[in-house]
Amino acid sequence: MEKRQYLQFINEGYGFEFYLNLVGFVADFNGSYPTEREFKTILEENGVAYTAIRRHKLKQMYPEMFAK
């Protein structure tokens, strides 16, 4: 799959679970959750749109990210 197709796949929501898992991994590795701003930067650097729907899902799964 070429990069453009992969990014479209993620932006359609199918690969977003990977990024949710990444939040947990970063938290385990660093001992703390990334801030929402840091996570948004990671997504944008990888060509993934940061949307209100994704923000809502993140807020439900990782409220610690939004407490900072």
Side-chain angles (χ1 to χ4, degrees):
M1 181 181 292
E2 38 178 274
K3 185 175 181 180
R4 188 173 51 90
Q5 290 173 311
Y6 177 69
L7 294 176
Q8 182 180 358
F9 183 77
I10 292 171
N11 273 321
E12 288 171 358
Y14 300 108
F16 191 61
E17 294 301 321
F18 167 79
Y19 287 97
L20 293 179
N21 292 333
L22 179 64
V23 171
F25 174 78
V26 169
D28 291 342
F29 186 76
N30 290 336
S32 66
Y33 285 87
T35 63
E36 180 184 7
R37 182 182 211 158
E38 291 168 338
F39 191 68
K40 181 178 181 181
T41 301
I42 291 169
L43 290 183
E44 290 172 349
E45 285 173 353
N46 287 282
V48 179
Y50 185 75
T51 65
I53 293 168
R54 293 197 174 131
R55 184 180 195 281
H56 177 72
K57 190 168 188 176
L58 279 169
K59 196 168 185 176
Q60 287 180 322
M61 293 183 70
Y62 300 103
E64 298 88 348
M65 282 180 65
F66 295 84
K68 294 179 181 181

